[in-house]
Amino acid sequence: LCPCVGYRSRLNLASGGLAAAELAAEALQPSWLRWHPARHDVLYCVNEDRDAPACSAYRVCADGSLQLLNAVSTGAAGPTHFSVSPDGRFLAVANYGGGALTVIPTAEDGSLRAASATIVHEGSGPNPKRQKEPHAHSANFSACGRFIFCCDLGIDQVVIYELRADGTVERRCGD
């Protein structure tokens, strides 16, 4: 597959005009983007690449270009959504195709570490045409960062996990 291309443009606040678009970075099938909550020079994305599902970390350079810090596997197919913990220490990734939640720790510089947990959901939902298997489609942290709420369309549940300090999780609700 060819990499997708991300562009940047400068906004002239006085005139409201946009400068011509320029290449910011190349990435394999990027979709969901999030900023690190404390490091405003770090941007994360999920890469929905079928052969290498991953999350990527980028440093935002002074000129607006993006420098790839690293990418790590989500361990499950179809990463589609993720959130960053309020303290910036973890990403919680929903893998739609793999029906799984993945937790990825971050390093001090904002780069990503290997996944600390990948939990594959089991079951199905009441609509056999759409819900014959798990399809996690969002993963959101509670305001305090202690819990992850993983919405799974395929099993028709919101599964609640408690996040431990080491990045592992324990299922608290959703059967």
Side-chain angles (χ1 to χ4, degrees):
L1 293 172
C2 294
C4 292
V5 179
Y7 291 93
R8 68 178 190 267
S9 183
R10 296 204 184 272
L11 172 65
N12 181 322
L13 294 176
S15 70
L18 287 174
E22 300 173 324
L23 178 67
E26 291 184 358
L28 287 174
Q29 296 185 308
S31 62
W32 198 259
L33 302 172
R34 293 267 186 180
W35 292 104
H36 187 287
R39 294 188 55 105
H40 302 293
D41 64 335
V42 176
L43 179 68
Y44 299 111
C45 78
V46 290
N47 304 99
E48 293 189 41
D49 182 41
R50 181 182 49 205
D51 298 324
C55 280
S56 299
Y58 291 89
R59 170 128 15 263
V60 180
C61 301
D63 67 357
S65 63
L66 300 175
Q67 173 194 8
L68 179 66
L69 294 174
N70 70 332
V72 299
S73 173
T74 63
T80 188
H81 176 270
F82 73 98
S83 61
V84 184
S85 62
D87 62 7
R89 293 182 55 223
F90 298 98
L91 275 58
V93 183
N95 299 278
Y96 187 85
L101 168 73
T102 302
V103 177
I104 299 174
T106 64
E108 284 290 320
D109 67 354
S111 62
L112 301 171
R113 298 177 189 219
S116 56
T118 299
I119 310 298
V120 179
H121 295 164
E122 295 179 4
S124 59
N127 182 341
K129 289 184 180 182
R130 292 188 61 197
Q131 299 175 303
K132 65 180 181 180
E133 59 193 9
H135 293 297
H137 64 96
S138 72
N140 294 284
F141 283 93
S142 62
C144 66
R146 181 176 167 196
F147 298 98
I148 300 169
F149 303 96
C150 187
C151 297
D152 192 308
L153 169 70
I155 61 174
D156 207 27
Q157 293 181 19
V158 177
V159 184
I160 302 172
Y161 295 95
E162 185 171 1
L163 178 67
R164 297 181 183 130
D166 65 356
T168 59
V169 293
E170 183 175 342
R171 191 173 180 148
R172 290 297 183 188
C173 185
D175 296 328

